[in-house]
Amino acid sequence: MASKGISPTREEDFPAWFQSVVREAEVAELAHVRGSMVIRPWGYAIWELMQAELDREIKASGAQNAYFPLFIPLSYFEAEAKHVEGFAKEMAVVTHHRLEEDPADPEKLRPGGELAEPLIVRPTSETIIGKSFAKWINSYRDLPLMVNQWANVVRWEMRPRVLLRTTEFLWQEGHTAHASEKEARRETEQMLEVYRRFAESFLAMPVITGEKPEEERFPGAVMSLSIEAMMQDGKALQAGTSHYLGQSFAEAAEIDFLDRDGERQLVHTSSWGVSTRLLGALIMSNGDDVGLRLPPTVAPQQVVVIPVMRGKDDEAVRAEVEGLAAELREQSFEGKPVRVLADFRDRDAPAKRWEWTRKGVPLVLEVGPRDLEKEAVAVRRRDDEELGMESVPRGEIGARVGTMLEQMQVGYFDLAAERLASRTARDIESLDEFRQWFSADDEDAAASGFVRAPWSEAAESAAILEDLRVSVRCIPFDQQLAPGSACVLTGKPAAVEAVFGKAY
Amino acid sequence: MASKGISPTREEDFPAWFQSVVREAEVAELAHVRGSMVIRPWGYAIWELMQAELDREIKASGAQNAYFPLFIPLSYFEAEAKHVEGFAKEMAVVTHHRLEEDPADPEKLRPGGELAEPLIVRPTSETIIGKSFAKWINSYRDLPLMVNQWANVVRWEMRPRVLLRTTEFLWQEGHTAHASEKEARRETEQMLEVYRRFAESFLAMPVITGEKPEEERFPGAVMSLSIEAMMQDGKALQAGTSHYLGQSFAEAAEIDFLDRDGERQLVHTSSWGVSTRLLGALIMSNGDDVGLRLPPTVAPQQVVVIPVMRGKDDEAVRAEVEGLAAELREQSFEGKPVRVLADFRDRDAPAKRWEWTRKGVPLVLEVGPRDLEKEAVAVRRRDDEELGMESVPRGEIGARVGTMLEQMQVGYFDLAAERLASRTARDIESLDEFRQWFSADDEDAAASGFVRAPWSEAAESAAILEDLRVSVRCIPFDQQLAPGSACVLTGKPAAVEAVFGKAY
């Protein structure tokens, strides 16, 4: 009998449930090198759908894709370290360019050919792209310059977690240079809006948009914006960020231009990115105790049709499955043909049914001899909590597929939006209540969530928050601070309304 | 006055001409780190078009995309070195995972946190993908397993050349595992055929398909196939390869499976790839003394419409350019909407015209007040040697765009095919003639080319060929060896017909 559930369940142990889903749905695995991951075909196909959509949006925003070197000279970081406070240092360092036989043991290899200057494997590309910008930009006519790259980056992780914190991950990083602060800030805001739309419409994952408090900014940034999503355990996951970098990177990389008056000016830069972390967010936002649940937009197969072969009418069943798949491919969802797989692999039908259910496919259809007789198709909707098989008349299925996919896309979003709303406390007024909210046992997934409350931005907040392992997720754009409000942490006059939460 | 030509010309100095085109057309540049390159937006957009087409073909062949780690443990290479002769060793080695302040000089940084086991930046992924295959493959039901990844790879280059030989480059690498030798060989052949079609139909670059002689095989391969193109200087460029790896990689990575009889067997593997080198091939195959010439299939913009503003009727010109661009976007080429840019940048029209001509755009259109009066559009076809501006009646341009693009796609292919045919000597019968052919001054581009002649495969060929800096490019599939032919190099009985050439 095929396994039907994920062990442990979300309620029993959310982090372990997450690891199990990632493994059982064949999304990814930590492998080979500590902290490195393999993104398996199913996971990568989801990432490709995300990429295609986001790439379209990024190009529509006016940015062009390009590719910059993986290796960055050590000296670039020395220049940056001078200009950028809080510069992170956990990076992979290349020091040699050859393998040679170990004279002590000819079965062994060792590094040879030491480099004069060590090279850093990019943790992000502000420094190197900045140096290219400095070369390409001469006058105001060359501005704005907006590039994006899809690339792998490396940040050494001491406590790796698959998809969430890995030494190497994939992402896109946009880098732009502008003549004025105003324009660079507008770009920063526009790209966050691209990410918000993408998360909500495409990933069915509602987010809060806002500005990061000073302590949480990208090192060197003047303003960091983020989209924050709530996972099913009530924790926050930062799902995309956009930074206005002021002129500090321009200064470090010497990116200047002649303005209309013939004066030399430093540019204002921005950067923005999302990563394969979104695969983790998708799972923790929308998975269940059977496995992954994919919004149809990001499902590599939106419909899988499985033949039930009983040694009787096998040829008729095969023909029916092929015909049905072909017919459904002519249906459309969100303006594109429905993605349909007819699964004829050499495995039994129940095993296939549970495999695709676990992998999150929105609709699993089965056709056997009895369905042929009844002129019907057995349909499992992934959003049905009972995971029943409904018998749908053969003549109706084509017309219903598009509608069912739309219902699921909306339904998943609504479910997550309802969670975000109901688990964001807006009535917490004292530090005691605040402590109580966040001191609920981490493993009691139902108890935690966000707090939205007035905040003074006072320095003493840091110690209180650290003690609770809580952070200010953002200062949301839609400020609803009542005049005269007191800070939930310090009782001082509040400066802003903030969203607090525990975070991944 | 905008520069109209590339200096030097192809005839004056082909390698220097190539570097100039790459720079002037803003395709790519060596930058930042010795041997590393930046692929600029125009070059990257061409690469994206190649990727999209090839990705579609690869998926249609049954492979699925995935992603494997950038870093490979040193020990994997030790296992491979035992099994694979001729194992290459020029690789980037990561030995540390942190930057720290240099105590001797706080302005300086130095590597810290030495790794227990050095990590290699992947030069290719047979070893690491093989290890994953070993984990994923249990029974014959799991075969064939076919994955592909789009990734960056690093091979240390002592004499880097932009796009042709760089330390880091982008590629796709396919890796497949099969139950039988026959199936793995068929896969190897099928993928070469995918590459051939891609090179010829999409890149307008005719190629010779064949098998590499033993000395030129990928280390560890039983059979290496390649597509070989002829550049305008008569040299060969290997534009894609496909390898049948036998069971040596399966043995090194321990990839086995239970066959239908319950016996454990090693799989047979294949691998195949093409890289950003194709951007270099495209330029050297089809560029001219003005710059790049892009087959319409790989032109990021197939048509650029330029307004000629004379301070008179500017608004009418602007409206006309916008209307014309919109109208042309409704035309189609190869089943897709024509890609059209209306170039309203703040630069003068001749500068724009020559920029897009240099960048290889198939059709550059201009509209000024006089064109409005005449109800015409000035059209420059990139394949017109005179680069004239033809005045085309406004009412005809829409209907003619698709046809002109088709003519250019075919015309570029025919031109290269004619070169390949006319500069492949088939009548060279003696070693003297062979020496004479290949001893022609390298810089005399018109003199060199390929030789197609009978070959004995005898060991003494190596010294003769090395002396002339010539190699056997391949043993072409379409063998036309006359019975009783003598080897052009040794006079011994010929075993095969071979294609000889100097190579990039």
Side-chain angles (χ1 to χ4, degrees), chain A residues 25 52 70 76 196 202 267 275 328 387 406 422 427 429 450 454 483:
Chain A
L70 173 69
Y76 285 23
R196 184 196 64 74
F202 205 72
V267 300
S275 75
L328 296 182
L387 291 172
E406 277 157 35
S422 69
D427 55 356
E429 294 180 348
F450 296 170

Side-chain angles (χ1 to χ4, degrees), chain A residues 44-183:
Chain A
Y44 199 81
I46 301 168
W47 176 240
E48 285 184 307
L49 290 165
M50 293 186 186
Q51 276 192 299
E53 173 71 10
L54 206 46
D55 193 66
R56 211 178 45 70
E57 291 280 341
I58 287 169
K59 284 173 177 157
S61 84
Q64 294 181 294
N65 286 344
Y67 187 78
F68 294 83
L70 173 69
F71 295 145
I72 304 179
L74 178 64
S75 57
Y76 285 23
F77 287 95
E78 288 168 349
E80 189 190 341
K82 255 182 266 180
H83 293 267
V84 170
E85 249 183 286
F87 166 77
K89 299 192 181 67
E90 292 299 327
M91 309 174 182
V93 188
V94 175
T95 55
H96 294 74
H97 68 79
R98 189 182 301 135
L99 284 185
E100 54 188 34
E101 270 178 25
D102 189 339
D105 180 351
E107 297 263 288
K108 298 277 176 194
L109 297 169
R110 65 172 194 189
E114 190 169 358
L115 298 174
E117 180 180 5
L119 300 173
I120 311 306
V121 182
R122 64 178 162 226
T124 178
S125 303
E126 274 79 5
T127 55
I128 200 156
I129 293 182
K131 289 273 192 186
S132 281
F133 276 18
K135 216 162 91 181
W136 298 343
I137 294 170
N138 292 304
S139 96
Y140 68 91
R141 284 196 169 87
D142 302 318
L143 296 174
L145 183 56
M146 301 161 73
V147 302
N148 176 62
Q149 82 172 351
W150 291 95
N152 51 347
V153 285
V154 170
R155 298 167 186 188
W156 209 265
E157 277 296 344
M158 293 306 178
R159 289 179 304 278
R161 286 192 61 185
V162 68
L163 291 173
L164 301 179
R165 261 199 321 265
T166 50
T167 289
E168 182 192 9
F169 56 89
L170 305 183
W171 77 349
Q172 61 66 219
E173 49 179 320
H175 298 270
T176 71
H178 305 266
S180 72
E181 169 169 354
K182 189 176 158 193
E183 204 184 301

Side-chain angles (χ1 to χ4, degrees), chain A residues 351-370:
Chain A
K352 291 183 193 175
R353 183 198 313 153
W354 287 104
E355 176 184 339
W356 295 118
T357 301
R358 198 159 54 236
K359 285 184 167 175
V361 167
L363 294 170
V364 174
L365 275 49
E366 288 184 7
V367 176
R370 283 200 308 222

Side-chain angles (χ1 to χ4, degrees), chain A residues 177-211:
Chain A
H178 305 266
S180 72
E181 169 169 354
K182 189 176 158 193
E183 204 184 301
R185 281 186 182 267
R186 194 171 53 212
E187 167 72 10
T188 310
E189 285 157 10
Q190 278 171 353
M191 291 315 298
L192 195 79
E193 178 58 14
V194 165
Y195 292 154
R196 184 196 64 74
R197 275 205 312 271
F198 173 72
E200 300 197 332
S201 317
F202 205 72
L203 305 183
M205 187 170 72
V207 292
I208 297 173
T209 54
E211 182 174 352

